[in-house]
Amino acid sequence: KEMAPQQRILFPPEKICMDWQQRQRAGAGLHNLGNTCFVNSVLQCLTYTAPLANYLLSREHSQSCRQQDFCMMCIMEVHVNKVLHSSVSAIQPSAVISVLTRIGEHFQLGRQEDAHEFLRYTVDAMQRACLSGSSELDMSSQATTIIHQIFGGFLRSRVTCLSCKAVSDSYEAFLDVPLDIKAASSVTAALEDFVKPEQLDGENCFQCSK
């Protein structure tokens, strides 16, 4: 059983360029503004994610953005252009720091936070910015933003009845995959463990009605 087709494509996949569109030297570093290393490490990872940087360097988003208030895509566009076009060795990531509590209301300037959590909130905020005015679209259409196409995907959960062999599929959009890496020898092994089939029994059993 396949997912429902998209009602609308928000960003054409053929426009996403996985390689750098222009020869790019390393940009400016980022000053630590007081326990902001969790922000800086995430910003550097995003800045050097080529398909995202290509889009932000084109300034295509801000040219068509209609959001009056907080827009994470516009903020990242300003930041990436500042980093990659700067002639100085390091800059202050002030555009992002100034909206820290808009990204996640529990983030506090001056307090060390978790980098992975900040990455998740930042990517979620960029996805919401891309969906501005389109949040009522179906799940498949919402997955056609440039952010979801770069970072996201779908998890398919399949339940198969062991008696009648009926199959039931459900889909869930994701922007990251939580892997248990403590007991895994590699990322591949962690992924294999993540999708390993399990047999439901006891209180976990389903009552099959096909």
Side-chain angles (χ1 to χ4, degrees):
K1 179 183 173 184
E2 298 297 325
M3 288 189 304
Q6 304 106 340
Q7 298 171 351
R8 183 177 162 199
I9 295 177
L10 300 174
F11 192 88
E14 61 272 12
K15 286 182 63 177
I16 299 175
C17 183
M18 299 302 292
D19 298 315
W20 290 95
Q21 288 184 302
Q22 49 188 287
R23 195 171 187 132
Q24 198 70 55
R25 64 174 180 81
L30 303 177
H31 287 295
N32 191 322
L33 303 181
N35 285 332
T36 58
C37 50
F38 73 97
V39 173
N40 291 357
S41 59
V42 168
L43 291 179
Q44 292 291 60
C45 287
L46 293 174
T47 298
Y48 295 98
T49 300
L52 176 63
N54 287 330
Y55 177 69
L56 296 175
L57 287 169
S58 74
R59 300 184 185 273
E60 182 178 331
H61 178 84
S62 61
Q63 290 168 9
S64 59
C65 183
R66 296 291 178 265
Q67 295 186 80
Q68 301 297 315
D69 194 11
F70 169 67
C71 174
M72 195 65 213
M73 287 298 286
C74 287
I75 290 163
M76 284 301 299
E77 185 179 291
V78 168
H79 175 79
V80 169
N81 276 277
K82 187 175 180 181
V83 167
L84 296 180
H85 292 149
S86 178
S87 59
V88 299
S89 60
I91 65 165
Q92 294 189 3
S94 50
V96 177
I97 295 298
S98 64
V99 294
L100 203 56
T101 56
R102 302 296 299 272
I103 298 170
E105 60 183 19
H106 62 287
F107 292 128
Q108 290 184 20
L109 184 59
R111 187 177 72 184
Q112 182 61 281
E113 304 279 3
D114 182 75
H116 175 241
E117 184 181 23
F118 181 71
L119 173 63
R120 291 186 62 182
Y121 273 82
T122 301
V123 173
D124 283 344
M126 288 193 290
Q127 171 71 354
R128 288 195 303 273
C130 291
L131 286 174
S132 176
S134 306
S135 57
E136 299 304 313
L137 284 173
D138 62 289
M139 180 176 65
S140 296
S141 298
Q142 290 186 34
T144 64
T145 66
I146 187 168
I147 294 301
H148 201 281
Q149 290 185 72
I150 293 172
F151 296 102
F154 285 93
L155 292 174
R156 182 187 69 186
S157 177
R158 168 166 287 182
V159 179
T160 304
C161 178
L162 298 179
S163 298
C164 71
K165 306 304 179 186
V167 173
S168 173
D169 287 341
S170 60
Y171 297 89
E172 181 182 359
F174 70 82
L175 285 169
D176 74 341
V177 179
L179 298 180
D180 183 0
I181 61 173
K182 289 183 179 178
S185 58
S186 66
V187 174
T188 301
L191 280 166
E192 288 172 344
D193 187 61
F194 182 71
V195 297
K196 183 173 63 180
E198 62 176 317
Q199 186 166 327
L200 302 177
D201 53 25
E203 293 183 354
N204 291 325
C205 272
F206 285 6
Q207 179 65 42
C208 178
S209 58
K210 295 195 176 183

